[in-house]
Amino acid sequence: QVTDVQPGDVGTNLIVANTDKEAAEKMGVSIGEKIAGERNSVLDVADIASAVLYALTAPAHVGVHELLIEPRDQMWGDPTALG
C-alpha cells in the first residue's frame, strides 16, 4: 500500500537549517526563522503525524491513498483564502 502525504504549511524549523537564500526568498521566509503564523494558517507537526498514524494503522480493508492536509486559512494554493 502507498499513501501520498501532501501537507500544507507546517510550523517547523526547516528554514532554520536551510542555506538556500533564493528558495527562502521565493517562499517568503527568512533563513534562521521558524515558520509560524496565525493559528488557522499553519499546521502543527502533530497534525501531520496524527494523520500519518491513522493511515498506517487503518484496518486492512481501508485504503488511505492520499492525505491532503492544509491549514484552514492557508494562503498559498487556496484561492478561496484570498477573499
Side-chain angles (χ1 to χ4, degrees):
Q1 293 182 343
V2 175
T3 301
D4 178 20
V5 181
Q6 303 173 51
D9 293 339
V10 181
T12 69
N13 62 356
L14 182 62
I15 299 302
V16 173
N18 183 21
T19 59
D20 188 339
K21 291 180 182 179
E22 181 181 351
E25 286 175 12
K26 286 181 181 180
M27 293 298 296
V29 297
S30 299
I31 292 176
E33 193 173 295
K34 182 176 179 178
I35 296 174
E38 293 184 26
R39 180 68 194 127
N40 294 324
S41 64
V42 179
L43 296 169
D44 294 331
V45 173
D47 298 328
I48 305 304
S50 295
V52 170
L53 183 61
Y54 171 77
L56 291 172
T57 60
H61 69 279
V62 175
V64 181
H65 305 289
E66 291 181 305
L67 292 172
L68 174 58
I69 309 164
E70 294 182 332
R72 188 187 75 193
D73 296 339
Q74 180 170 321
M75 291 298 293
W76 308 112
D78 181 5
T80 63
L82 298 175

